[in-house]
Amino acid sequence: MKFLFAGFLGLVTLGGSAVGQPSVPQRPNIIYIMADDLGYGDLGCYRNAGKTIVKTPNLDRLAKQGTRFTRFYAGNTVCAPSRCALMTGKDMGHAYVRGNGGGDIPLRLTDTTMATRLKREGYETGMFGKWGLGNDTNTGAPQKQGWNQFLGYLLHGHAHNYHTDSLWQVKHSHLSVRHISKSDYTHDLIMNEAMSFVQTNRAKPFFLYLPVTLVHAELATTTENEKPFLTPTGKSVFPETPYLRRPNTIFKRYSSQPNPKAAFAAMLTRLDSDVGKLMTLLKTLGLDQNTYVFFTSDNGPHNEGGADPVFFDSNGPLRGIKRDLYEGGIRVPMLVRGPGISAGRVSNEAWAGWDVLPTVCELTNTPQPTDSNGLSMVPLLRGGASPAPADRTFYWAFNEGEYRKALIQGDWKLLWLKKPSEAARLELYDLARDIGETTNVAPQHPAKVKQLTALMQQALTPSEHPLFDWSGLE
């Protein structure tokens, strides 16, 4: 299926008043694009663009038009808790959803999301991509969590496939199945719907959330997108090790892929291209000067389905990948462009996924949540100093095979790691001197380890869901 962007550009010329700024000033629009499993080093603007294997010119341009943040942290190192932190403003010591395990844990009706808050203020809310915080029968269903429109995947398992017979949609507050052809590339459908949402709601304030599934496994792309990475004879330009489907494992959803490197490169290129098309649409509609655009990832790069983050150097200078609490698992790209955002600026101030909710609330003059662990970073976005106190801490916890906790205060980072039936291990890193976490300096700084261990214990509150009660592992 070909992308229908040209059709949208054709529509904006109809009716006369569609082009240009709306005649009545309105509150700013919010677009939050969250890639899936995109690494810190996957974008040229976070590296020397001339040395990256896959070029990302549109995202690099977005960075030049706004501010690039070098110390933005995802809510957690896997999909569901990272999304929960974003939507509810809770860190991993307080969030209701703290892991992926046990299936898809739904948000409760008491968990007020970013979409719900903006909808109350008159925003049209649209989500296109992967939800992952509820299904069609429980309290986490998207129409119950503030979304006026939706097209995509409800559950993480379903989102592993780019060719399926159905997606879910919300229209007029009703959730239903949308039957599609397995020949369709679902990312096409998702992006077409997102573009249509912007076009339809250009005259009113809107919140567009784009949790696209690229570049998550399975590694699947379109013939057109893969062409630049194939020779005239159809062979990959990269050294390939074909990926074979593993039907009797947890990876059984991933299809075989003869050219996994070419597929990944095509997926990343497509992601970059679509961001460029969205930015062009905003400019054509006259919305680019009244729209805040955020671009980030839900966690670090993955190595599933044939993906090779080592070959692509997807974590750049960082150690670790998805499911690690080393920097490579949680430090992700963050680009922000919009009114009052300095162009071409680079900020090294630390902030995290749970800060986005209060930040968006301030940008849109929406009442701030009273139960968030986050801080509004609007002063930082506008070129000022971070509003965070110097002693602010960031906390994560994750339990899959190994119980991991991490706490950052300033440039110090403490990791607490414990495998079943083994004693806990403590690792301390000075990120100012050792961004790659190569040298554990815990033995040289016992007082700092003691201090951060105490803060780590204070950061954790008992889980309200039994699946995330890890107190017996302490």
Side-chain angles (χ1 to χ4, degrees):
M1 177 176 181
K2 291 187 176 181
F3 192 66
L4 302 181
F5 175 72
F8 292 130
L9 291 187
L11 288 174
V12 302
T13 64
L14 302 178
S17 62
V19 178
Q21 291 279 14
S23 58
V24 179
Q26 66 178 44
R27 298 163 86 175
N29 306 308
I30 303 293
I31 296 179
Y32 198 89
I33 308 167
M34 187 163 69
D36 204 332
D37 294 0
L38 183 76
Y40 186 87
D42 279 326
L43 304 187
C45 55
Y46 280 86
R47 308 284 301 283
N48 181 332
K51 294 183 179 179
T52 54
I53 294 175
V54 183
K55 309 308 178 188
T56 54
N58 294 289
L59 288 163
D60 297 349
R61 185 180 306 114
L62 182 64
K64 292 178 181 178
Q65 294 173 345
T67 296
R68 176 171 65 88
F69 294 91
T70 66
R71 284 195 71 187
F72 180 78
Y73 290 97
N76 210 338
T77 188
V78 292
C79 302
S82 189
R83 286 161 167 73
C84 180
L86 172 68
M87 284 292 118
T88 66
K90 303 286 185 69
D91 68 17
M92 288 303 107
H94 300 80
Y96 181 63
V97 180
R98 303 184 187 185
N100 277 353
D104 294 74
I105 307 301
L107 291 177
R108 303 159 296 181
L109 296 180
T110 53
D111 296 311
T112 307
T113 66
M114 192 184 308
T116 297
R117 294 179 189 279
L118 292 179
K119 183 176 179 178
R120 289 173 181 168
E121 296 301 307
Y123 274 74
E124 186 68 20
T125 58
M127 170 176 56
F128 307 96
K130 182 172 78 176
W131 175 228
L133 293 172
N135 64 27
D136 58 313
T137 62
N138 58 37
T139 54
Q143 80 279 12
K144 298 177 183 177
Q145 295 294 338
W147 298 106
N148 289 336
Q149 297 182 52
F150 168 64
L151 179 70
Y153 304 92
L154 292 179
L155 303 181
H156 297 282
H158 187 198
H160 290 171
N161 298 112
Y162 292 89
H163 296 278
T164 179
D165 60 4
S166 64
L167 293 172
W168 289 91
Q169 65 180 6
V170 172
K171 289 188 175 181
H172 309 296
S173 301
H174 176 68
L175 177 66
S176 63
V177 174
R178 176 170 165 180
H179 296 286
I180 62 176
S181 169
K182 282 194 173 183
S183 64
D184 289 331
Y185 189 57
T186 56
H187 180 77
D188 286 341
L189 304 177
I190 287 165
M191 285 305 303
N192 288 340
E193 203 78 5
M195 295 290 192
S196 179
F197 175 84
V198 172
Q199 166 67 28
T200 301
N201 296 290
R202 62 188 181 273
K204 64 178 90 168
F206 63 78
F207 170 37
L208 168 61
Y209 175 42
L210 259 176
V212 295
T213 48
L214 299 178
V215 290
H216 193 294
E218 62 182 358
L219 297 184
T221 186
T222 67
T223 301
E224 181 180 357
N225 292 153
E226 194 176 24
K227 278 182 181 178
F229 305 101
L230 300 178
T231 67
T233 60
K235 184 179 179 181
S236 173
V237 300
F238 304 115
E240 298 282 12
T241 300
Y243 175 79
L244 300 178
R245 183 171 176 267
R246 300 158 63 186
N248 298 319
T249 71
I250 60 173
F251 305 113
K252 59 187 176 183
R253 296 185 182 93
Y254 301 154
S255 299
S256 296
Q257 173 54 255
N259 298 313
K261 292 185 179 70
F264 174 82
M267 293 163 75
L268 178 52
T269 301
R270 174 62 187 275
L271 173 63
D272 177 77
S273 174
D274 283 349
V275 171
K277 290 174 181 176
L278 178 58
M279 296 306 298
T280 298
L281 179 61
L282 292 177
K283 187 173 182 62
T284 302
L285 293 173
L287 300 176
D288 58 320
Q289 298 304 309
N290 194 43
T291 301
Y292 291 97
V293 179
F294 297 76
F295 179 88
T296 189
S297 178
D298 62 344
N299 46 248
H302 71 92
N303 62 354
E304 299 166 10
D308 191 342
V310 174
F311 178 83
F312 288 102
D313 201 16
S314 291
N315 54 6
L318 309 179
R319 176 182 180 181
I321 59 173
K322 179 179 181 179
R323 292 187 173 82
D324 291 322
L325 290 182
Y326 293 109
E327 294 290 281
I330 53 176
R331 192 189 292 213
V332 293
M334 172 57 88
L335 311 175
V336 186
R337 180 199 186 278
I341 308 296
S342 299
R345 179 168 169 257
V346 178
S347 172
N348 300 317
E349 297 287 347
W351 56 305
W354 47 88
D355 294 321
V356 175
L357 173 59
T359 300
V360 167
C361 285
E362 183 171 349
L363 290 173
T364 58
N365 196 28
T366 295
Q368 289 280 351
T370 58
D371 59 350
S372 171
N373 304 117
L375 298 173
S376 171
M377 290 291 156
V378 168
L380 180 62
L381 295 187
R382 291 178 174 163
S386 171
D391 63 349
R392 187 189 190 195
T393 59
F394 299 84
Y395 174 81
W396 297 265
F398 182 65
N399 180 30
E400 275 190 27
E402 180 180 58
Y403 183 27
R404 307 172 177 96
K405 298 186 290 183
L407 182 132
I408 292 176
Q409 184 180 57
D411 291 320
W412 289 106
K413 180 176 179 181
L414 180 70
L415 282 162
W416 187 98
L417 309 167
K418 187 180 187 303
K419 293 182 179 180
S421 304
E422 293 184 7
R425 311 179 320 276
L426 290 172
E427 298 178 7
L428 180 69
Y429 298 98
D430 181 354
L431 297 177
R433 294 180 174 86
D434 184 18
I435 189 175
E437 296 168 292
T438 61
T439 305
N440 175 17
V441 296
Q444 290 78 41
H445 299 277
K448 179 59 67 174
V449 170
K450 182 178 180 181
Q451 175 209 358
L452 297 183
T453 299
L455 290 173
M456 185 178 278
Q457 292 170 345
Q458 295 169 18
L460 177 64
T461 63
S463 171
E464 296 183 63
H465 193 289
L467 185 65
F468 309 121
D469 178 10
W470 300 324
S471 56
L473 303 175
E474 298 286 338

